[in-house]
Amino acid sequence: MALLLKKEKTEIDKLREALMTGVSYMIPVIVAGGMMLAFGSLFETLTGVDLKESNSLVAQLINDLKTFGLYGLTLLFPVIAAFVGFGLAGKPAIAPGLIAGMLARDMQMGFLGALLGGLMVGYLVRWMLANIKLPKEFRSLLPMVIIPLIGSAIILFVMKYIVGYPLIALNTGLENWLVGMSGGNKVVMAAVLGAMVGFDLGGPINKAAITVSLGLFAQGIFEPVTASHIAIMIAPFGIGLSTIFAKQYYSKELQENGRAALMMSCVGISEGAIPFILANPALIIINTIGSAISAAMVIMFDSIVQAPAAGILALILSSHFFLYFISIATGVAFVAVCTTVLMKRQFNKQATDAEDQQQVAKSA
């Protein structure tokens, strides 16, 4: 008689759980840092006060709040790397993951670089735990000394010399390509810039688009900076709306992060969307398309912002308020609807898998 055994987790299941572990630890950091930064930026936008130059006690306190928020967002990269690694290999992966995340931040590799670092840490530490055999009296040295020292060194060298420099070269190449496009079709270039901004939310591709836009802005060319800065809003705002109108498909943590993402979007901070991408990487495609749509529309409508501003301030400063708003609304609606469909499918699949596992457990 055949026995029904409990379904074993596949490597894909373990990878998915590791990503969700990284998300669960990262969300409080993003909410704390992002909300403080968003509140400070919103105060500065609405009042017009230069927080750094003002001698007012209130302005100094609000400026401190912005600084504290930046501390929180700075921790985003080491937290992602450390706890994705932790999800794959347990506590011994935390130290190498934290250090790998800091390298990803310092080399401007973005959250994708930090995520890659966390995955490499997790798999390397798992291999070391399984294959390095020590006498019983020295086993405590493996997680306390050998893995933090040797594991960190291996991952850091791989990230810097094998992963890091190609990403930096890609960043430089993208900048040169965009500069070469600047004299061509403005709508096409706007769509490309918007797609790049929406792709990795603060990573090297995003940075290339922003850098080129600001460089052309300094030359008196305002279309690129208008396109890239409207794109910053689209992913976090669209996903945030989805968590409100279709909250049944999101965990409590992601619902809370959705509200924070909305607030961050209003002041031009895109990192609020990152936890959702880790929860479902297919959102990268949706964010890229939605951001490209808004960026192309705002240039097609000739609703230009002659300032390096994003969020509510850009909307206020645009040459055609209504057309700028329509451009935002179109991209946001696309992201919100597609995100809801995608998260609904994921929710239903997880529910089905859970039911199947329960049936297997009952039959065993």
Side-chain angles (χ1 to χ4, degrees):
M1 180 178 177
L3 295 176
L4 291 175
L5 300 177
K6 187 176 181 179
K7 182 181 177 182
E8 293 185 3
K9 292 180 181 178
T10 66
E11 196 60 41
I12 296 297
D13 293 330
K14 294 177 182 178
L15 176 60
R16 186 182 298 112
E17 287 185 1
L19 293 176
M20 292 308 299
T21 299
V23 169
S24 66
Y25 281 97
M26 179 183 64
I27 284 176
V29 176
I30 284 188
V31 170
M35 291 298 286
M36 285 190 288
L37 180 59
F39 180 80
S41 300
L42 186 60
F43 177 89
E44 192 172 30
T45 297
L46 296 178
T47 63
V49 175
D50 188 334
L51 297 179
K52 292 183 179 180
E53 299 297 328
S54 176
N55 293 322
S56 165
L57 176 60
V58 173
Q60 291 176 12
L61 292 174
I62 296 296
N63 189 57
D64 285 341
L65 193 66
K66 285 185 64 178
T67 302
F68 300 154
L70 287 172
Y71 291 158
L73 292 184
T74 297
L75 284 172
L76 167 66
F77 305 109
V79 168
I80 291 175
F83 287 100
V84 167
F86 169 78
L88 288 170
K91 288 183 180 179
I94 291 180
L98 288 170
I99 300 171
M102 291 297 291
L103 179 64
R105 187 206 68 177
D106 290 345
M107 292 187 68
Q108 297 186 347
M109 296 166 66
F111 87 91
L112 291 177
L115 177 61
L116 179 60
L119 292 173
M120 290 192 295
V121 164
Y123 287 117
L124 175 63
V125 171
R126 183 196 289 181
W127 182 89
M128 294 176 75
L129 289 170
N131 292 277
I132 298 179
K133 307 298 182 183
L134 296 175
K136 184 177 180 180
E137 58 271 22
F138 295 111
R139 286 176 188 170
S140 62
L141 294 178
L142 183 59
M144 295 294 292
V145 178
I146 296 175
I147 288 177
L149 175 61
I150 298 177
S152 296
I154 291 173
I155 292 300
L156 293 175
F157 277 111
V158 169
M159 287 185 68
K160 182 172 183 179
Y161 295 106
I162 298 178
V163 177
Y165 286 127
L167 283 177
I168 293 173
L170 173 64
N171 186 47
T172 302
L174 288 171
E175 290 181 18
N176 294 335
W177 176 57
L178 286 172
V179 170
M181 282 185 67
S182 61
N185 188 305
K186 293 180 180 180
V187 175
V188 172
M189 187 178 82
V192 172
L193 286 169
M196 292 172 65
V197 169
F199 178 77
D200 60 353
L201 304 173
I205 296 176
N206 175 293
K207 287 291 190 295
I210 299 295
T211 300
V212 170
S213 299
L214 292 175
L216 294 173
F217 172 80
Q219 301 174 32
I221 303 173
F222 304 122
E223 288 85 357
V225 81
T226 299
S228 60
H229 280 81
I230 194 174
I232 292 173
M233 299 180 64
I234 305 307
F237 206 98
I239 293 173
L241 286 181
S242 177
T243 64
I244 292 175
F245 294 110
K247 62 182 181 180
Q248 66 270 27
Y249 304 129
Y250 297 88
S251 67
K252 291 292 184 182
E253 287 182 323
L254 287 179
Q255 289 178 35
E256 293 172 3
N257 200 79
R259 290 189 285 272
L262 283 171
M263 183 72 174
M264 295 163 72
S265 170
C266 291
V267 291
I269 303 171
S270 60
E271 280 83 352
I274 291 177
F276 299 91
I277 290 176
L278 295 181
N280 195 324
L283 285 173
I284 292 176
I285 299 173
I286 294 172
N287 294 339
T288 301
I289 297 173
S291 299
I293 289 172
S294 288
M297 286 182 65
V298 78
I299 299 305
M300 181 177 67
F301 290 150
D302 198 31
S303 182
I304 307 302
V305 180
Q306 296 186 15
I312 292 176
L313 183 59
L315 177 63
I316 295 172
L317 296 177
S318 61
S319 58
H320 298 289
F321 179 93
F322 178 72
L323 295 177
Y324 194 96
F325 177 80
I326 292 297
S327 301
I328 294 175
T330 304
V332 164
F334 176 86
V335 170
V337 171
C338 293
T339 297
T340 299
V341 171
L342 193 65
M343 297 304 290
K344 179 181 179 180
R345 289 179 179 176
Q346 178 175 288
F347 178 84
N348 291 337
K349 183 179 184 302
Q350 290 173 346
T352 301
D353 290 344
E355 290 177 2
D356 290 344
Q357 290 181 2
Q358 290 178 358
Q359 291 296 327
V360 170
K362 290 179 181 179
S363 302

